[in-house]
Amino acid sequence: MPSAAPSALPALAGNAAIGGTLFYTLRSFLGPIRGPVATAALYGTISLGFGVNAILNPAGALSFFEWEYPSDPETRVLVDRLMHIYGARDIFMAAAIYSTAYFGSRRALGATLVAVSAVAGVDGLA
C-alpha cells in the first residue's frame, strides 16, 4: 500500500511557533514598533540569501532539499533553470518583505510574514 503524502500542517505549525517566539523575543528587546520590523528584516535576509544561493549555486541549493544533483547534462540544465526560478521567487519574497516593512502597515507586514512562512513550510515538505 503506498504511503500517504506528508501533511503541511506540522511544518506550518512549527514555522508559526518559531516565528512567534522570534517575534516576541525581538519585540521584548526592541519595543513594539521596531520588533516586527527587525523580524521582517531577518526573514527577508534569509529569503534573499536562499534566492541568491539558488541562482549562483544550484547544486548547493538543491542539497537543502536532500536531492542529488543530476549527472546527465540535459537534466542538469533543466535543474539549473528550475533552481533559477526558485531563486528568483525567493528574491521577490524578500523584496515583498522589505517593501512592506518599509512602506506598509503592521497588519500588511504580518500578513506578508505569514505568507512567506507558509511558502517556507511547503518548501520544507519537498
Side-chain angles (χ1 to χ4, degrees), residues 1-110:
M1 184 182 312
S3 63
S7 173
L9 292 179
L12 293 177
N15 281 345
I18 292 169
T21 303
L22 176 67
F23 170 76
Y24 284 112
T25 302
L26 287 175
R27 184 177 176 175
S28 67
F29 287 119
L30 299 176
I33 301 299
R34 292 186 303 183
V37 175
T39 304
L42 181 65
Y43 273 49
T45 304
I46 290 169
S47 292
L48 182 64
F50 277 123
V52 169
N53 183 43
I55 290 174
L56 298 179
N57 183 16
L62 198 62
S63 69
F64 284 113
F65 296 107
E66 298 179 359
W67 293 345
E68 292 183 19
Y69 195 63
S71 58
D72 178 40
E74 292 177 3
T75 309
R76 190 178 287 182
V77 169
L78 174 66
V79 167
D80 286 348
R81 289 180 181 168
L82 288 173
M83 291 307 292
H84 289 153
I85 293 169
Y86 171 79
R89 183 202 65 174
D90 280 355
I91 290 171
F92 286 125
M93 284 192 321
I97 293 171
Y98 289 144
S99 63
T100 307
Y102 189 75
F103 297 113
S105 67
R106 288 178 42 169
R107 287 186 179 186
L109 179 59

